[in-house]
Amino acid sequence: MAVLLRALLRPGRPPGTLGRHPGQREASLCADPGAPVRVRFAPSPTGFLHLGGLRTALYNYIFAKKHGGTFILRLEDTDQTRRVPGAAENIEDLLAWAGIPPDESPCRGGPAGPYLQSQRLELYAQAADALVRTGAAYPCFCSPQRLHLLKKEALRNRQTPRYDNRCRNLSQRQVAQKLASDPKPAIRFRLDEEAPAFQDLVHGWTRHEVASVEGDPVVLKSDGFPTYHLACVVDDHHMGVSHVLRGSEWLVSTAKHLLLYRALGWRPPRFAHLPLLVNADGSKLSKRQGDLMLERLAAAGFLPDALLDMVTNCGSGFAENQMGRTLAELIAQFDLSRVTCHSALLDLEKLPEFNRLHLRRLVSSETQRSQLVEKLQVLVEEAFGSQLRGTAVLDPAYVERVILLRQVWWGRPLPEAKHAPHTLALF
């Protein structure tokens, strides 16, 4: 922050420390075609992983593996007030359980770490310093009370709340005076320039004139933490991300991100904004929907392959809409150019059928059947431990026999097993 404050009172000069070269004002909108494919899944640990997050992670994973690339897990934990204890570990553990572990992550490490944004604050301060020095950003001394009144007044007049850019034209003398009493201002990015059009790999050519509908956004808060807009640009650049596959709710914000790339003299990655996964009634998925939580579905005995199959089956990206695909088949058949803009409807009532398909595959393989026997032994003990009379029912040969005999009854769950985990209930 001290470096940043000194920059506020200094004449403008190019941010040479960040790799910008003379004449490189216009950053290309295409990623370097010769660069390796590097994608990232960047959730916020403000809740546990649900099916919507799993789907975004999966599309990134299969795109990376199809092109011999790298799948990165980055945790966007800059909002410390909303961080849920254990959520960060939960996300990485469940990605591994689902069979799509990251190549680089907070736990695994990697050449572009650290992978927690709260440990990368110096990089964001350097970027903010560069923006201020070139006049692309400025300090904002507006109090939370003033900003709240602006919002309240806009809503009262039935207008969209926006910052009025009050601090953008302060003189150096005024800035110096205000710094004396408020040495840690927020930093806002100037939305002066026309937003560039860009070719989204899902939505096609797109342009959003954000400056006409929004005030200058905060990119660095007074506590030294970045907002999403600055953090994702800085991290994607320094981590060498080649393609950003994220939800379509970020499509409009991409205009701001491209302006930030341009101001910093960096080449942006390619963008693909994926259609949202929504409930069967069209409503948005929520982290508060317990039945969508991956941890709960895993505990209920649903197979990872069944979940991966279902969340891709209800969307697009494949030549044919079929059930029963394995992860290897998803990788081989995925085609990003086939992803459409339409939201994907999630029907959880179909999940047991997906589970049955993948259970049949497990049973038909002798190697995988033995692994299933081990899992079922654990499930039986967990579900009926206090009711078991002896250990004969847990004998591997007996469990395997039950599995093979049960195949003829698939589709008709046993009444006495209706409260058992779903993997067990199918036997």
Side-chain angles (χ1 to χ4, degrees), residues 271-306:
F271 292 94
H273 287 88
L274 305 172
L276 295 180
L277 184 65
V278 298
N279 293 306
D281 62 1
S283 61
K284 188 176 178 180
L285 300 186
S286 169
K287 291 182 180 180
R288 296 179 182 86
Q289 289 178 255
D291 56 345
L292 299 179
M293 293 300 171
L294 209 58
E295 189 173 37
R296 183 173 294 186
L297 292 168
F302 288 108
L303 299 172
D305 277 352

Side-chain angles (χ1 to χ4, degrees), residues 40-226:
R40 47 71 164 181
F41 174 50
S44 173
T46 54
F48 296 98
L49 189 63
H50 62 56
L51 288 179
L54 175 67
R55 178 173 174 266
T56 301
L58 174 60
Y59 273 72
N60 276 277
Y61 180 89
I62 60 180
F63 180 79
K65 299 310 169 187
K66 187 175 184 69
H67 297 283
T70 301
F71 173 52
I72 302 167
L73 173 65
R74 183 176 75 222
L75 295 176
E76 300 189 342
D77 63 337
T78 55
D79 190 347
Q80 296 287 297
T81 60
R82 296 178 57 220
R83 181 168 181 167
V84 174
E89 297 78 12
N90 171 272
I91 291 169
E92 188 155 0
D93 289 346
L94 286 174
L95 289 179
W97 171 83
I100 54 172
D103 301 301
E104 301 173 22
S105 70
C107 290
R108 288 174 176 254
Y115 297 90
L116 285 169
Q117 286 188 336
S118 58
Q119 298 174 5
R120 302 172 65 84
L121 299 185
E122 186 177 350
L123 287 173
Y124 311 133
Q126 289 174 3
D129 175 37
L131 293 171
V132 170
R133 282 190 273 121
T134 57
Y138 60 89
C140 176
F141 300 93
C142 292
S143 66
Q145 292 79 9
R146 181 177 186 274
L147 297 176
H148 176 71
L149 288 174
L150 278 177
K151 180 178 180 179
K152 186 176 180 180
E153 181 67 13
L155 293 174
R156 187 175 69 84
N157 295 324
R158 297 182 179 179
Q159 297 174 343
T160 302
R162 58 183 292 180
Y163 178 57
D164 60 0
N165 299 345
R166 177 180 181 177
C167 292
R168 67 149 60 186
N169 295 316
L170 294 177
S171 66
Q172 285 196 353
R173 181 178 178 182
Q174 289 173 311
V175 170
Q177 291 173 342
K178 289 183 177 293
L179 282 174
S181 58
D182 184 5
K184 294 184 178 180
I187 303 300
R188 289 185 181 271
F189 178 63
R190 290 179 183 269
L191 293 179
D192 281 336
E193 300 185 47
E194 179 179 301
F198 68 99
Q199 188 175 21
D200 188 85
L201 297 175
V202 174
H203 294 260
W205 283 99
T206 305
R207 183 198 296 272
H208 294 99
E209 293 297 345
V210 288
S212 63
V213 294
E214 296 184 31
D216 294 338
V218 171
V219 291
L220 195 71
K221 296 177 285 187
S222 60
D223 61 3
F225 279 80

